[in-house]
Amino acid sequence: MSAPERIPPRSVTTDAAAAELLALGELTVRGRIRDASNAALYCTVTYQGREAACIYKPVAGERPLWDFPDGTLAQREVAAYEVSEATGWGLVPPTVLRDGPYGEGMCQLWIEAVPDGELLALVEDEEAGPGWKPIAFAEVDEGRTALLVHADDERLRRLAVLDAVINNADRKGGHLLPADGERLYGIDHGVTFHAENKLRTLLWGWAGDPLTGEALAVLDALAEALKDGGTLATRLAELITPAELEATRARVGALLASGRHPEPNGEWPAIPWPPV
């Protein structure tokens, strides 16, 4: 018997069979991601002579969250992928909900991050400087602070729009994965889609700025897909609550009405901790 074809992540993400591979393939657990706050298992998935690495997060390994009492983290991870796909930006790795060795959970294509020192930085100056956007001042040593900045990067700007739509409560630096081909992925979307405003992110550099024409066109398309009977609305209704779906529609509508990136409202900590 020949060995299965090993598929590089960058090939699978552009392959129409990626979701089929993740959903129908045989999962084999290879190890555990020990620094994850919930159970996260590194696996391989094999189907019809194809193989890829993936991450499997069983619902049984989720810790209950008092402020996210409805649904599961796994369902929200899949919902974030569905919205990402509807934007056409491909910012979330292929993600499915499936049964696995430890019960139902989310299964996501494993992305091998490549070194990229141009996304986040600490600078000693009080200004971000050309090509950078300020986030906040951070204490780096006792009695010394530095300015945390992120790149003025179109990939990050698209991700900031996606986070505003899905109401991401935990966009940390470690959740940004630069990949081959200058792709950028966001991962760990378990705390999203809350009906109340809980946006916490490092990507505040465009707060209050006008949205790009591209972003407005994407939001228009999302608004259409989120209407009753729309393709995205139908899919999300299987993954999040009716109140969360309605809140998603409202966030898209608010972004279109304002035409601007959202700003922190002071009702919720604006930056996740730890930030990276």
Side-chain angles (χ1 to χ4, degrees):
M1 180 181 295
S2 60
E5 176 192 1
R6 184 71 173 179
I7 304 172
R10 62 180 178 178
S11 299
V12 178
T13 55
T14 58
D15 191 327
E20 180 183 60
L21 174 64
L22 291 170
L24 302 179
E26 180 181 355
L27 275 179
T28 302
V29 177
R30 303 297 185 184
R32 180 171 182 175
I33 312 300
R34 295 196 175 276
D35 58 353
S37 55
N38 294 277
L41 305 174
Y42 178 79
C43 302
T44 53
V45 58
T46 306
Y47 183 66
Q48 294 186 343
R50 310 181 78 203
E51 181 180 274
C54 61
I55 185 84
Y56 161 56
K57 298 181 181 179
V59 172
E62 296 180 1
R63 297 179 182 178
L65 298 175
W66 67 268
D67 53 342
F68 281 82
D70 300 315
T72 66
L73 305 185
Q75 288 172 303
R76 294 190 190 94
E77 294 246 31
V78 177
Y81 167 68
E82 295 289 346
V83 175
S84 169
E85 287 298 283
T87 67
W89 286 333
L91 295 169
V92 179
T95 312
V96 302
L97 194 68
R98 60 161 293 166
D99 195 30
Y102 299 101
E104 185 179 66
M106 83 86 172
C107 186
Q108 184 176 85
L109 189 71
W110 179 269
I111 300 297
E112 288 291 346
V114 299
D116 190 335
E118 302 299 321
L119 295 179
L120 296 169
L122 284 168
V123 298
E124 299 293 335
D125 298 330
E126 294 188 1
E127 301 291 334
W132 296 94
K133 292 286 188 178
I135 304 171
F137 284 97
E139 184 174 334
V140 292
D141 290 318
E142 187 174 345
R144 188 171 71 89
T145 60
L147 181 62
L148 181 62
V149 298
H150 67 67
D152 188 2
D153 186 309
E154 188 59 37
R155 300 171 300 172
L156 291 178
R157 191 166 190 173
R158 289 172 175 172
L159 196 56
V161 174
L162 176 66
D163 283 343
V165 170
I166 67 176
N167 198 16
N168 193 349
D170 195 33
R171 174 62 72 206
K172 298 176 180 177
H175 299 166
L176 306 174
L177 297 183
D180 283 343
E182 297 186 352
R183 295 290 301 271
L184 178 69
Y185 295 98
I187 60 169
D188 285 350
H189 297 106
V191 286
T192 50
F193 293 100
H194 203 287
E196 300 175 5
N197 180 17
K198 290 186 179 289
L199 183 60
R200 290 195 305 175
T201 176
L202 286 180
L203 305 180
W204 286 116
W206 298 281
D209 288 355
L211 292 162
T212 64
E214 178 195 48
L216 290 171
V218 164
L219 290 167
D220 267 327
L222 285 181
E224 187 66 26
L226 284 167
K227 290 180 178 178
D228 285 338
T231 53
L232 183 58
T234 300
R235 181 63 179 125
L236 291 185
E238 302 171 352
L239 300 165
I240 59 177
T241 69
E244 290 167 340
L245 177 55
E246 187 57 40
T248 303
R249 293 189 181 107
R251 287 191 296 273
V252 172
L255 288 166
L256 284 169
S258 71
R260 294 182 177 274
H261 287 268
E263 299 179 80
N265 63 12
E267 298 177 1
W268 181 258
I271 297 175
W273 187 261
V276 179

